[in-house]
């Protein structure tokens, strides 16, 4: 093993420094100008997961062939979204390893693995990692034991390593951080273990904490504390466990928050439970909250609002607007004014049976008899929501919002309301209860295209099984995704017509990306413990 490491280190040193180019904030801000790269988790700061590459089209997509495959050394659930910088790909392997690959061949260049504490346990979280951020000459990763680490982009050597929370109190990180001008922004998970949500910023050069915004009250005088009866905010929740977005023009960070705790029993936390199940807009310099929008007040079905929000500009009701859209686990698709947080559009995108609708301000109007019960109460959408962590995408060319929509319901079961902090104890009664999934033909996943400004469905492509893969749109007019059986496929972005598929042979939990090297476009993703790339012959 030492010999292998030495050889890899020598190979890295033989690669010209110019190959590992610096990624300035200006490059990140204008990433759409270099579609050959994939510089952020969502493809750009707006989390649109859209690429300007157009070599692959509906006419030639059927000719895609496997270009290369990289097999990870370990095992575990792989959910990484690759980052590509000038021919170098950075991926994460479970639980928190970072690997640099040659994006032309899949050849490993270096690999860094943290020392994970032996007593680490996660409650409600897979020990996985969804990707890195890049800025300057460094690669940044947030680890499962709640560290943020800066690595040298050329060698993988640790430049700094800071602890942001105590993993023994239930804190864990699985998402990719966001790199902006001189700052690394990260959230955290662990709400099922009574961890209290926060968003924090760190100096990109030193790792010094610059600010921290709590997404749940920490004292009776904190904002939102009056929305938790009997100081029930002590149970934690409102974690920031998925990716966020950023608007450089207004210097605003947009981040979704998770459910209150305990999950399925709200008796001991009466009130709206701010700022759980919300989208928060945050000043990137100060960490002050500009506005919030709560999708599901007093939520009791584990419908987090942590899906990555998508930012775009469009005309709505005859007026040019700066918008933010989010398909929520509660089954509704929302469009808000991203400057003010004003509610503009809210419509169901899957079957839902818990709300009569939304009022003029976007607040849900709950239907009676839809709360979890001891016997189990059938409610739509199901336990995994109308969508889960897998990112949707948006094409500025079609004006469509593409997402993996999850149809089906679940029997929601009410349990004990007690919570206990820390991974060693976790939660009592399943964090307030649990549920039982529906089965049958009414349960399925479909790739759906919605008009981004209205939520109106334009087309859908129904899958034969489950899916835990994000969507990717390109200027070539193609949308990529995969199903749970490992079928990686391409659809016509305008019509949803299937163009091509490839059976990868194992389940995919992927965030597919596209990039180009030497004028050749690749589409890359993961399946099992493999990273793969396809290209035209």
């Amino acid at each position: 093993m030492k010999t292998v490491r030495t050889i890899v280190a020598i190979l890295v040193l033989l690669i010209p420094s110019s190959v590992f180019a610096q990624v300035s904030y200006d490059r990140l801000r204008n990433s759409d100008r270099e579609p050959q790269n994939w510089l952020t988790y969502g493809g750009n700061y707006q989390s649109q997961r859209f690429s300007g590459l157009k070599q692959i089209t509906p006419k030639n997509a059927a000719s895609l062939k496997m270009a290369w495959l990289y097999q990870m050394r370990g095992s575990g659930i792989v959910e990484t979204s690759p980052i590509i910088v000038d021919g170098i790909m950075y991926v994460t392997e479970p639980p928190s390893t970072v690997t640099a690959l040659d994006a032309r061949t899949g050849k490993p260049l270096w690999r860094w693995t943290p020392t994970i504490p032996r007593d680490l346990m996660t409650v409600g979280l897979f020990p996985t990692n969804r990707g890195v951020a890049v800025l300057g000459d460094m690669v940044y990763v947030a680890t499962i034991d709640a560290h943020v680490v800066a690595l040298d982009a050329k060698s993988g050597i640790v430049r700094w390593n800071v602890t942001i929370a105590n993993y023994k109190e239930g804190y864990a990180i699985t998402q990719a951080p966001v790199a902006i001008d001189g700052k690394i922004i990260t959230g955290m998970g662990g709400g099922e273990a009574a961890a209290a949500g926060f968003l924090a910023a760190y100096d990109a050069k030193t790792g010094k904490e610059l600010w921290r915004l709590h997404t749940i009250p920490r004292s009776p005088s904190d904002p939102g504390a009056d929305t938790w009866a009997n100081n029930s905010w002590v149970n934690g929740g409102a974690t920031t466990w998925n990716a966020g977005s950023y608007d450089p023009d207004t210097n605003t960070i947009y981040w979704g928050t998770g459910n209150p705790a305990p999950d399925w029993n709200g008796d001991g936390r009466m009130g709206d439970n701010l700022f759980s199940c919300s989208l928060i807009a945050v000043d990137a310099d100060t960490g002050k909250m500009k506005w919030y929008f709560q999708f599901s007040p007093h939520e009791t079905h584990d419908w987090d609002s942590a899906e990555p929000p998508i930012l775009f500009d469009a005309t709505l009701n005859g007026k040019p607007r700066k918008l933010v859209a989010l398909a929520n686990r509660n089954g509704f698709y929302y469009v808000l004014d991203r400057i003010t947080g004003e509610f503009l559009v809210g419509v169901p995108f899957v079957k839902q049976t818990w709300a009569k609708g939304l009022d003029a301000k976007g607040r849900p109007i709950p239907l009676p008899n839809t709360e979890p019960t001891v016997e189990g109460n059938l409610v739509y959408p199901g336990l995994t929501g109308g969508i889960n962590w897998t990112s949707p995408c948006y094409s500025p060319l079609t004006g469509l919002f593409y997402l993996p929509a999850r149809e089906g319901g679940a029997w929601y079961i009410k349990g004990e309301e007690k919570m206990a902090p820390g991974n060693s104890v976790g939660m009592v009664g399943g964090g307030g209860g649990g549920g039982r999934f529906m089965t049958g033909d009414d349960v399925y996943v479909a790739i759906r295209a919605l008009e981004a400004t209205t939520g109106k469905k334009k087309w859908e492509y129904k899958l034969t099984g489950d899916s835990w893969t994000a969507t990717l749109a390109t200027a070539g007019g193609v949308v990529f995704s995969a199903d749970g059986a490992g079928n990686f496929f391409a659809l016509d972005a305008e019509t949803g017509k299937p163009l091509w598929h490839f059976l990868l042979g194992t389940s995919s939990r992927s965030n597919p990306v596209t990039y180009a090297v030497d004028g050749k476009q690749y589409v890359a993703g993961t399946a099992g413990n493999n990273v793969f790339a396809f290209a035209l012959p």
Side-chain angles (χ1 to χ4, degrees), residues 37-310:
N37 292 317
W38 192 273
L39 299 180
T40 68
Y41 177 83
N44 56 17
Y45 277 145
Q46 294 74 32
S47 296
Q48 293 176 353
R49 298 194 67 81
F50 172 83
S51 170
L53 295 177
K54 55 182 69 175
Q55 190 176 93
I56 301 169
T57 70
K59 291 184 178 181
N60 62 25
S63 299
L64 285 167
K65 303 294 183 184
M66 181 78 74
W68 57 259
L69 183 143
Y70 164 74
Q71 291 185 314
M72 297 180 177
R73 296 183 189 178
S75 60
I77 294 176
V78 178
E79 296 180 345
T80 187
S81 184
I83 295 293
I84 297 92
V85 183
D86 302 330
I88 306 297
M89 176 184 289
Y90 301 97
V91 297
T92 51
E93 307 181 23
S96 302
T97 291
V98 181
T99 302
L101 305 173
D102 185 326
R104 301 167 181 81
T105 64
K107 177 182 178 180
L109 303 175
W110 58 255
R111 186 173 187 264
W112 173 83
T113 299
T115 300
I116 303 297
R118 290 182 178 271
D119 60 345
L120 175 74
M121 296 174 62
T122 60
V123 179
L125 289 170
F126 293 115
T128 188
N129 189 282
R130 299 196 179 105
V132 301
V134 290
L135 182 65
D137 60 352
M138 288 193 268
V139 177
Y140 301 87
V141 63
T143 66
I144 194 69
D145 58 340
H147 286 236
V148 176
V149 184
L151 305 173
D152 184 274
K154 181 181 178 182
S155 65
I157 293 172
V158 175
R159 301 272 283 270
W160 54 256
N161 182 338
V162 297
T163 303
I164 73 166
N166 186 351
Y167 72 88
K168 294 184 178 181
E169 296 177 357
Y171 291 96
I173 309 178
T174 56
Q175 90 270 39
V178 174
I180 59 176
D181 190 10
K183 301 180 183 68
I184 305 302
I185 314 297
T186 188
M188 40 64 65
E192 282 74 11
F198 66 84
L199 194 66
Y202 298 87
D203 185 282
K205 293 183 178 180
T206 66
K208 177 183 177 182
E209 185 171 303
L210 302 176
W211 53 255
R212 179 172 294 207
L213 171 67
H214 291 284
T215 55
I216 191 171
R218 306 313 303 138
S219 74
S221 60
D222 284 351
D226 58 346
T227 67
W228 297 77
N230 303 317
N231 294 335
S232 50
W233 42 262
V234 298
N235 286 328
T239 51
T240 48
W241 57 267
N242 212 341
S245 305
Y246 176 60
D247 185 345
D249 293 336
T250 60
N251 198 32
T252 305
I253 298 164
Y254 299 88
W255 217 284
T257 67
N259 55 273
D263 283 355
W264 298 282
N265 188 330
D267 292 350
R269 51 173 175 83
M270 299 306 295
D272 284 356
N273 306 148
L274 292 173
F275 296 93
S276 68
C277 295
S278 300
L279 179 65
I280 57 174
V282 181
D283 185 286
D285 284 339
T286 65
K288 301 296 183 182
M289 193 184 301
K290 294 184 175 183
W291 57 258
Y292 73 90
F293 182 89
Q294 189 174 41
F295 301 98
S296 304
H298 190 71
E299 202 280 317
T300 55
H301 298 85
D302 196 27
W303 293 330
D304 300 70
S305 297
E307 298 73 33
I310 290 181

Side-chain angles (χ1 to χ4, degrees), residues 35 38 48-61 64 393-400 402 471-481 488-494 499 512-516 521-524:
W38 192 273
Q48 293 176 353
R49 298 194 67 81
F50 172 83
S51 170
L53 295 177
K54 55 182 69 175
Q55 190 176 93
I56 301 169
T57 70
K59 291 184 178 181
N60 62 25
L64 285 167
C393 65
Y394 165 80
S395 169
L397 300 182
T398 64
L400 297 178
Y402 305 93
T471 54
L472 163 70
T474 71
V478 182
V479 172
F480 294 92
S481 192
F488 191 65
F489 56 83
L491 307 176
D492 187 296
E494 290 282 1
L499 304 170
V513 303
T514 187
Y515 64 95
Q521 182 180 356
Y522 297 81
V523 180

Side-chain angles (χ1 to χ4, degrees), residues 200-523:
Y202 298 87
D203 185 282
K205 293 183 178 180
T206 66
K208 177 183 177 182
E209 185 171 303
L210 302 176
W211 53 255
R212 179 172 294 207
L213 171 67
H214 291 284
T215 55
I216 191 171
R218 306 313 303 138
S219 74
S221 60
D222 284 351
D226 58 346
T227 67
W228 297 77
N230 303 317
N231 294 335
S232 50
W233 42 262
V234 298
N235 286 328
T239 51
T240 48
W241 57 267
N242 212 341
S245 305
Y246 176 60
D247 185 345
D249 293 336
T250 60
N251 198 32
T252 305
I253 298 164
Y254 299 88
W255 217 284
T257 67
N259 55 273
D263 283 355
W264 298 282
N265 188 330
D267 292 350
R269 51 173 175 83
M270 299 306 295
D272 284 356
N273 306 148
L274 292 173
F275 296 93
S276 68
C277 295
S278 300
L279 179 65
I280 57 174
V282 181
D283 185 286
D285 284 339
T286 65
K288 301 296 183 182
M289 193 184 301
K290 294 184 175 183
W291 57 258
Y292 73 90
F293 182 89
Q294 189 174 41
F295 301 98
S296 304
H298 190 71
E299 202 280 317
T300 55
H301 298 85
D302 196 27
W303 293 330
D304 300 70
S305 297
E307 298 73 33
I310 290 181
L311 316 184
F312 66 101
D313 297 346
T315 299
L316 186 60
N317 298 325
K319 179 181 178 182
R321 307 289 293 252
K322 293 185 177 297
L323 305 171
V324 53
L326 189 142
N328 199 277
R329 279 177 70 170
N330 69 14
F332 283 87
Y333 172 78
Y334 296 82
V335 181
L336 311 176
D337 184 298
R338 72 172 183 265
I339 304 300
T340 64
E342 177 189 358
F343 169 74
L344 300 173
V345 173
V347 294
F349 67 92
V350 294
K351 180 179 178 179
Q352 66 83 25
T353 61
W354 68 277
K356 183 179 179 180
L358 307 176
D359 67 17
K361 293 187 177 181
R363 187 180 179 92
I365 306 168
L367 290 168
N369 304 316
T370 55
E371 288 291 295
T373 64
V374 174
E375 300 80 13
N377 194 12
L378 178 60
V379 178
Y380 291 72
L383 290 164
T384 52
I387 188 173
N388 208 272
W389 66 270
T390 47
S391 300
C393 65
Y394 165 80
S395 169
L397 300 182
T398 64
L400 297 178
F401 186 106
Y402 305 93
L403 75 160
R406 309 180 66 83
E407 289 285 2
W411 283 269
Y412 289 88
I413 300 169
K414 185 177 183 178
E416 299 180 47
E417 64 183 75
K418 289 181 64 178
M419 291 287 293
N423 287 327
S424 60
V425 180
M427 66 281 189
V428 179
R436 187 172 72 255
F437 286 94
M438 276 184 60
T439 58
D441 293 342
D442 291 337
V443 180
Y444 64 92
V445 179
I447 304 301
R448 288 187 176 148
L450 311 179
E451 289 183 353
T453 53
T454 67
K456 181 180 178 181
K457 185 172 72 174
K458 183 172 182 181
W459 57 256
E460 79 168 12
Y461 176 69
K462 188 175 179 179
L463 307 182
T464 56
D466 202 355
S467 175
W468 290 91
T469 299
T471 54
L472 163 70
T474 71
V478 182
V479 172
F480 294 92
S481 192
D483 62 25
N487 289 294
F488 191 65
F489 56 83
L491 307 176
D492 187 296
E494 290 282 1
T495 65
K497 176 185 175 182
L499 304 170
W500 164 86
H501 78 277
F502 186 95
L503 181 58
L504 295 163
T506 186
S507 179
S508 174
R509 295 178 68 97
S510 182
N511 282 290
V513 303
T514 187
Y515 64 95
V517 182
D518 300 330
K520 190 178 190 69
Q521 182 180 356
Y522 297 81
V523 180

